[in-house]
Amino acid sequence: MVDVPAFIWVLTLAGITGLTGMTSFVLYRGAKLAGATRRSAVGLGAATAAVLGAWFTATGVIAAHDGYLSGHGHISFLPFAFAGSLIAFLAATRIPLVSRALHAPGMLHRLEWPHAFRVVGIVFLIMMALGRLPALFALPAGLGDIATGLAAPFVARRLARGTGHRLAVRFNLFGMLDLVTALTLALLMGAHVIDVTPSARAITEAPLALIPTAAVPLLLTLHITSLRRLKALERGRKGTAGSTTPNTEAALVHSAASAAHNDSRSAS
């Protein structure tokens, strides 16, 4: 295993814990805003925290036992862990109560808050400075995450005021591009398609392996959900004659949420 300083563990686990906690709280608030009972809302938040916590723990154990490496140091199960997590998280958004929570009025800006914890991407830059990660990976991954994390509260506040929808679209597209770029570089380096010194082996081992196998799929799911909401809102705005005042936009969000609620009930 690559020797990782204790403070890298602390920073990484703090970011993971914050991301898990904020996502769970966002779904709890969404369930409340959607009209669910307090018991159901608390249950959704607790279940989200439990499931995410369990997967983060499991993937950490796998990484600690070199489960994401082949005998020659090539990445083996990491792409499958990423793909499986992403599919599972996206599928979970179709669960009726989760869908209601995600499409509740007032949820659009809340979906951006979990991205604030991406400032923990500074660990990539620190590992680069320590000679444990190549600059080719660490610079785009670290700087992209930090930029997204710093921008998230600003974008969320603009959306909360009923403005900044185009900014939010650009923010989510940039955030997705950053994640996909970092993941692609990690896979290419791990498979030795791109040979660099030092190697990117650290990204396949604990604690950094928790990021591509669990955090990235969750963040991508949040980006995709936000873009779907923004697209639905834009369709509603184009189909509504008149002003684009905050009250009108709030009504359009409510309309889009009602349609999504009906769709989820039909699907169930």
Side-chain angles (χ1 to χ4, degrees), residues 49-203:
V51 170
L52 292 178
W55 172 232
F56 277 116
T57 300
T59 192
V61 171
I62 294 171
H65 290 83
D66 291 338
Y68 295 124
L69 293 173
S70 71
H72 298 289
H74 296 175
I75 295 175
S76 56
F77 295 111
L78 191 147
F80 301 100
F82 161 77
S85 298
L86 180 59
I87 292 170
F89 292 153
L90 288 173
T93 65
R94 312 299 290 183
I95 297 172
L97 182 57
V98 176
S99 180
R100 287 177 58 194
L102 291 173
H103 291 86
M107 276 292 286
L108 192 57
H109 72 279
R110 290 180 171 88
L111 290 171
E112 312 301 349
W113 281 105
H115 295 287
F117 289 94
R118 287 170 66 173
V119 294
V120 175
I122 193 174
V123 297
F124 296 136
L125 302 181
I126 296 174
M127 289 290 282
M128 178 190 70
L130 294 174
R132 312 293 172 80
L133 279 177
L136 181 61
F137 169 80
L139 286 175
L143 295 176
D145 276 343
I146 293 170
T148 304
L150 292 176
F154 175 74
V155 174
R157 292 191 189 99
R158 289 283 301 273
L159 287 173
R161 293 197 296 264
T163 61
H165 294 86
R166 291 183 179 178
L167 175 64
V169 171
R170 291 194 291 269
F171 167 79
N172 281 284
L173 289 175
F174 173 82
M176 291 181 67
L177 178 62
D178 167 55
L179 295 174
V180 171
T181 299
L183 183 65
T184 301
L185 287 172
L187 294 177
L188 292 176
M189 293 175 188
H192 293 273
V193 174
I194 300 176
D195 280 316
V196 289
T197 303
S199 73
R201 179 186 174 102
I203 199 64

